[in-house]
Amino acid sequence: MEGTVFTPSLEGMKSVKSDEGEMLTKPFLDVCKLVLPVIDKFGAAMALVKSDVGGNISRLDSKYSSNPSEFNHLYTMVRAEIEAKTAKASSSCTNGLLWLTRAMDFLVELFRNLLEHPDWTMSQACTDSYNKTLKKWHGWLASSSFSLAMKFAPDRKKFMEVIGGSGDVNDDMEKFCASFSPLLEENHKFLASVGLDDLTAS
């Protein structure tokens, strides 16, 4: 492939914000979709994360498609649900955005671990990033499922070769973390400002 597995999402991130600096729904979801092939390369270890991410993208996507002009900006969906008093429902787009952002936090943290700890196994890198990001929001069941899945983490060297393609994978991974983190941070800040950043899972 041309470049690395990160190349398309790095390109996509350039258009996530409007000229006024607002987060745009479709470009943001498109970047998240472009991360799915990276998750795929983890195989069984990330099946849970992949279905979670895919489900939340679909939920937000269908809301956007129902009225693209009204939901052009990502946070208008949340505001509409707050007004309708449905934001805290487990099937809400607010919940979808929150969990999508958290899953992406986990992946960014994982890529950082791979960059900063060349001696760690994939399983170590995954577990550490899980503990730093998703664990506090997961109940016992989700946590146990995740710990079990991590036992199937792929061999690190093979994984890096697969995602490397024809580009400099470490360089692209670093760029991805640097560009994507601020966008995720912005989502958290917005959700925290409306009191919706602390929903947990069973």
Side-chain angles (χ1 to χ4, degrees):
M1 63 183 160
E2 279 305 303
T4 68
V5 80
F6 294 102
T7 306
S9 49
L10 286 171
E11 203 45 51
M13 274 190 251
K14 295 174 184 167
S15 50
V16 165
K17 295 274 192 88
S18 70
D19 294 343
E20 296 74 45
E22 294 241 24
M23 193 91 77
L24 297 168
T25 307
K26 189 162 168 26
F28 176 76
L29 293 178
D30 284 348
V31 168
C32 293
K33 279 179 199 164
L34 290 167
V35 179
L36 289 174
V38 188
I39 304 176
D40 257 346
K41 306 294 184 225
F42 280 94
M46 288 287 176
L48 283 168
V49 175
K50 190 185 176 198
S51 73
D52 198 40
V53 167
N56 287 324
I57 292 173
S58 302
R59 186 190 304 183
L60 293 160
D61 220 359
S62 59
K63 181 81 165 177
Y64 166 76
S65 304
S66 71
N67 194 334
S69 56
E70 186 188 345
F71 298 123
N72 185 32
H73 292 134
L74 190 56
Y75 304 149
T76 47
M77 293 184 190
V78 177
R79 292 191 183 105
E81 288 184 341
I82 290 170
E83 226 161 274
K85 301 202 173 2
T86 56
K88 289 189 176 180
S90 60
S91 60
S92 71
C93 286
T94 304
N95 207 22
L97 176 62
L98 177 60
W99 284 101
L100 177 59
T101 303
R102 285 174 178 170
M104 293 295 158
D105 284 339
F106 161 71
L107 290 168
V108 167
E109 195 58 49
L110 171 54
F111 299 143
R112 280 204 188 110
N113 276 344
L114 291 174
L115 286 167
E116 290 167 15
H117 303 281
D119 53 327
W120 281 10
T121 64
M122 185 60 95
S123 190
Q124 272 177 294
C126 288
T127 303
D128 181 79
S129 43
Y130 177 70
N131 290 343
K132 284 182 187 157
T133 54
L134 287 168
K135 191 176 168 73
K136 63 173 171 280
W137 305 112
H138 276 170
W140 181 82
L141 192 65
S143 231
S144 311
S145 310
F146 200 91
S147 304
L148 183 67
M150 285 310 104
K151 294 186 170 41
F152 300 99
D155 174 74
R156 177 181 175 140
K157 188 167 176 291
K158 279 192 193 132
F159 173 78
M160 295 302 271
E161 278 167 13
V162 171
I163 65 170
S166 63
D168 179 339
V169 68
N170 283 356
D171 190 46
D172 274 7
M173 210 186 263
E174 201 164 326
K175 280 187 199 144
F176 177 83
C177 293
S179 313
F180 204 32
S181 285
L183 300 176
L184 299 174
E185 193 49 47
E186 199 167 312
N187 284 352
H188 283 303
K189 275 192 183 136
F190 170 73
L191 290 163
S193 73
V194 292
L196 293 165
D197 196 32
D198 58 354
L199 306 175
T200 53
S202 52

